[in-house]
Structures are given as structure tokens and as C-alpha cells.
């Protein structure tokens, strides 16, 4: 069974803290994605990566960075968390020419 | 980008068929129609996709209008586990960078299943 796992389901951080969200996939997929999902705004792409050490900005990259040192792992970093980054964060992966993205369960981050 | 329009919510009874409509009047010839769903407290999951012909898989069927300006996702026998938000989206052809394209979901249709 294919699997995308995220390091935490729920996370509470303080404003100004550095936050790491980890995502691991076991399908040997080339492509990995970070999204955030907010009520009324739908799903929005933050960053994606199509290979190890490669990254591309999505629609809303400001305030975020990413790291992909290994094929199976894609990390989202909030350098200095702010309250407007309170959201549901979803990681996904997909094969090189796959039409289907596989999502993790999500991390609900609250920044106070 | 071509947009899709879906009803905000629909209600159906358990063990009955459900038809979820999607309008995409500005669809281009290279757009595939994809459906994802998101169960409560879970990440989205792929349901089905198609280009022109109707498609069937173990989860659902996809009926595509002849002019491709609309489509319908069909759940043949809804169960309580099908209660979710269903998203209809358009994506470029696979092989044209399709694997590395991010998804953009709108509000989707909130499907309520009554026991």
C-alpha cells in the first residue's frame, strides 16, 4: 500500500519560532509537493521538487523554504513562524509521469 | 487556467447512486478532467480521471459530455464512507510536465450521505 507520512498531525508553535515539517514517501516518486489548505481558499501550492536537491516555487512560497536531500524526504521550513501561517499543511508525491498525486494525512499547524 | 464550477453541497441516501456534476465550459483540448475527494480529517485522494470517453474504476465512473464542457462523477452505491468533499479539476496532458504540476482545488462539493 502506497504511503506518504507526515511527522506530526498537530503542531502548536509560537510566533518567531523556526518550524520544520517533514514528509516521507515510500513509493520512490520523483515529485514531491507541499500545499496549504485554508477554508474558503482551497488548496494552494507552496513549493514542489522534481528531484533530489531540486525545488521550484509554487503559488505562495513567501515565508517558506524547502529541503530535499534524499529522494524519499521533503521538508518544509518556516524560518520565523507567523500567525498567518496557521493552516493545514499537506504533503504529496507523484511519479515522473503520473497523473495521480498521493497525499499525506496533513499537519494542522497553529502559530500563537 | 480553465476553471470548474461545482455545487457547494449535495445530499444522498446510503446505497443509492450519486451523481456529482462539474461544469468546465472553458476546457481546452489538452485538459484532462480529474476528480479527487477529501474525507474528514484526511488528505485528498485521487478518484478518477478522463479525457473524452467515459471511464470506470473500482471507486467510481466518470461521464464526460460530448462537447467536454461538463462531466459527472457517479458513485454507483454510496456508503457512509463516501461522505467527503469532492473536487473536480482540470490538468494538462500527462507527459507535458503533468507529474510535476501542482494541483489547485476550489471549494468542491460537500457530499452528505444519510443512513
Amino acid at each position: 500500500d502506497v504511503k506518504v507520512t507526515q511527522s506530526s498531525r498537530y503542531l502548536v508553535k509560537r510566533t518567531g519560532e523556526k518550524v520544520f515539517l517533514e514528509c516521507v514517501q515510500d513509493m520512490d516518486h520523483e515529485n514531491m509537493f507541499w500545499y496549504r489548505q485554508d477554508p474558503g481558499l482551497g488548496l494552494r501550492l507552496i513549493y514542489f521538487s522534481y528531484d533530489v536537491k531540486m525545488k521550484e516555487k509554487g503559488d505562495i512560497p513567501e515565508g517558506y523554504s524547502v529541503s530535499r536531500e534524499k529522494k524519499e524526504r521533503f521538508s518544509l521550513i518556516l524560518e520565523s513562524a507567523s500567525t498567518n501561517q496557521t493552516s493545514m499543511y499537506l504533503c504529496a508525491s507523484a511519479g515522473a509521469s503520473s497523473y495521480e498525486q498521493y497525499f499525506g494525512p496533513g499537519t494542522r499547524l497553529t502559530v500563537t | 487556467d480553465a476553471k470548474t464550477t461545482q455545487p457547494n453541497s449535495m445530499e444522498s441516501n446510503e446505497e443509492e447512486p450519486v451523481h456529482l456534476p462539474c461544469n468546465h465550459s472553458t476546457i481546452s483540448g489538452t485538459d484532462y478532467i480529474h476528480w479527487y475527494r477529501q474525507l474528514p480529517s484526511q488528505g485528498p485522494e485521487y478518484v478518477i480521471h478522463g479525457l473524452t470517453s467515459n471511464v470506470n474504476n473500482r471507486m467510481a465512473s466518470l461521464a464526460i459530455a460530448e462537447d467536454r464542457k461538463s462531466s459527472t462523477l457517479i458513485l454507483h452505491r454510496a456508503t457512509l464512507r463516501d461522505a467527503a468533499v469532492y473536487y473536480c479539476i482540470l490538468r494538462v496532458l500527462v507527459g507535458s510536465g503533468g507529474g510535476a504540476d501542482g494541483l489547485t482545488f476550489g471549494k468542491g462539493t460537500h457530499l452528505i450521505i444519510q443512513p
Side-chain angles (χ1 to χ4, degrees), chain A residues 9 35 37 97 99 101 103, chain B residues 36 38 41 94 101 103:
Chain A
R9 288 302 302 270
Y35 297 89
Q37 187 173 34
S97 58
Y99 49 78
Q101 290 192 17
F103 283 82
Chain B
Y36 279 74
Q38 189 168 16
S41 301
V94 170
D101 285 353
L103 301 177

Side-chain angles (χ1 to χ4, degrees), chain B residues 48-66:
Chain B
I48 201 167
H49 80 286
L51 183 63
T52 55
S53 304
N54 295 344
V55 184
N56 300 296
N57 67 19
R58 63 175 178 82
M59 289 180 71
S61 295
L62 177 60
I64 301 172
E66 201 169 324

Side-chain angles (χ1 to χ4, degrees), chain B residues 78-101:
Chain B
T79 69
L80 295 177
R81 289 168 56 183
D82 291 319
V85 180
Y86 287 79
Y87 298 99
C88 167
I89 60 174
L90 304 180
R91 300 189 71 198
V92 297
L93 283 170
V94 170
S96 305
D101 285 353

Side-chain angles (χ1 to χ4, degrees), chain A:
Chain A
D1 204 12
V2 298
K3 209 151 191 168
V4 178
T5 56
Q6 296 184 227
S7 48
S8 307
R9 288 302 302 270
Y10 300 94
L11 209 52
V12 180
K13 295 291 182 180
R14 294 193 181 278
T15 301
E17 278 193 85
K18 190 168 187 175
V19 182
F20 292 88
L21 301 181
E22 298 281 325
C23 175
V24 178
Q25 51 97 2
D26 65 0
M27 295 162 282
D28 201 35
H29 282 165
E30 287 78 8
N31 301 303
M32 296 188 74
F33 307 82
W34 274 106
Y35 297 89
R36 63 179 284 178
Q37 187 173 34
D38 301 286
L41 295 175
L43 194 73
R44 294 179 292 169
L45 180 66
I46 305 171
Y47 267 98
F48 69 94
S49 168
Y50 54 89
D51 202 350
V52 175
K53 296 192 187 294
M54 306 304 289
K55 60 185 179 186
E56 293 285 344
K57 292 180 180 179
D59 299 319
I60 51 163
E62 296 79 19
Y64 303 95
S65 62
V66 290
S67 172
R68 192 158 180 211
E69 296 298 317
K70 292 186 177 182
K71 191 176 186 180
E72 67 270 19
R73 191 178 298 269
F74 192 34
S75 302
L76 180 70
I77 303 149
L78 287 67
E79 293 290 342
S80 178
S82 63
T83 54
N84 63 13
Q85 292 178 310
T86 291
S87 185
M88 170 68 82
Y89 289 88
L90 290 158
C91 174
S93 72
S97 58
S98 172
Y99 49 78
E100 180 178 353
Q101 290 192 17
Y102 296 86
F103 283 82
T107 295
R108 187 165 292 283
L109 173 67
T110 301
V111 183
T112 62

